């Protein structure tokens, strides 16, 4: 079981690594060509890659079932635009480390609430005072990262 968890921890770490790289690259592109333009290019290039992967049938999904999903599950694209835009705006002003620490703190806090509620049909995960302490430490980390 531990080996299984380690694989997914490594995948999650890869997600974090690529998010940091993407954020800094998109931010620099935003400075050169504009925030909306950089966000558009990021999403357009991602869409092209996914079109190619779907056409290559890399992993067979069930696109025919799209009507069965609740409407709110389709807000991911909108959220992706908000994420990309806010990352492009915040990183040049705060720096990669501070912006990323704030992003992760908000992400973990929101994830704890969503876990507790079992949002979107996910399995409910209990909230504990230790998780609260972890969130407080994350928030303190954001504050400490702001010290020059």
């Amino acid at each position: 079981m531990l080996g299984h968890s380690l694989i997914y921890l490594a995948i999650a770490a890869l997600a974090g690594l690529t998010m940091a790289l993407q954020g800094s690259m998109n931010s620099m592109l935003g400075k050169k060509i504009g925030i909306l333009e950089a966000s558009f290019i990021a999403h357009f290039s991602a869409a092209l890659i996914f079109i190619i992967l779907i056409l290559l049938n890399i992993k067979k999904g069930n696109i025919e079932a799209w009507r069965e999903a609740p409407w709110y599950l389709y807000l991911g694209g909108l959220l992706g635009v908000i994420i990309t835009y806010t990352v492009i705006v915040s990183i040049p002003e705060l720096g990669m480390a501070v912006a990323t620490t704030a992003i992760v703190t908000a992400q973990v806090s929101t994830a704890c609430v969503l876990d507790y509620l079992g949002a979107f049909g996910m399995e409910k995960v209990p909230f504990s005072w230790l998780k609260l302490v972890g969130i407080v430490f994350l928030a303190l980390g954001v504050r400490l990262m702001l010290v020059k």
Side-chain angles (χ1 to χ4, degrees), residues 24-93:
S24 60
M25 294 165 80
N26 285 345
S27 293
M28 292 311 297
L29 185 60
K31 282 185 145 195
K32 298 219 180 277
I33 67 171
I35 295 167
L36 292 176
E37 293 80 2
S39 185
F40 172 78
I41 288 172
H43 289 283
F44 183 75
S45 62
L48 287 177
I49 291 167
F50 278 110
I51 289 168
I52 291 167
L53 292 174
I54 289 168
L55 291 174
L56 291 175
N57 204 17
I58 300 296
K59 183 166 181 166
K60 184 72 174 145
N62 187 14
I63 193 70
E64 295 85 17
W66 72 270
R67 288 184 185 99
E68 298 169 20
W71 67 270
Y72 54 83
L73 295 181
Y74 291 100
L75 295 177
L78 171 63
L79 296 175
V81 170
I82 294 169
I83 290 165
T84 303
Y85 181 84
T86 55
V87 165
I88 290 172
V89 170
S90 64
I91 286 175
E93 297 299 320

Side-chain angles (χ1 to χ4, degrees), residues 127-143:
F127 189 78
S128 68
W129 68 272
L130 285 174
K131 289 182 182 180
L132 179 61
V133 169
I135 291 169
V136 168
F137 279 141
L138 286 169
L140 287 171
V142 173
R143 178 64 183 106

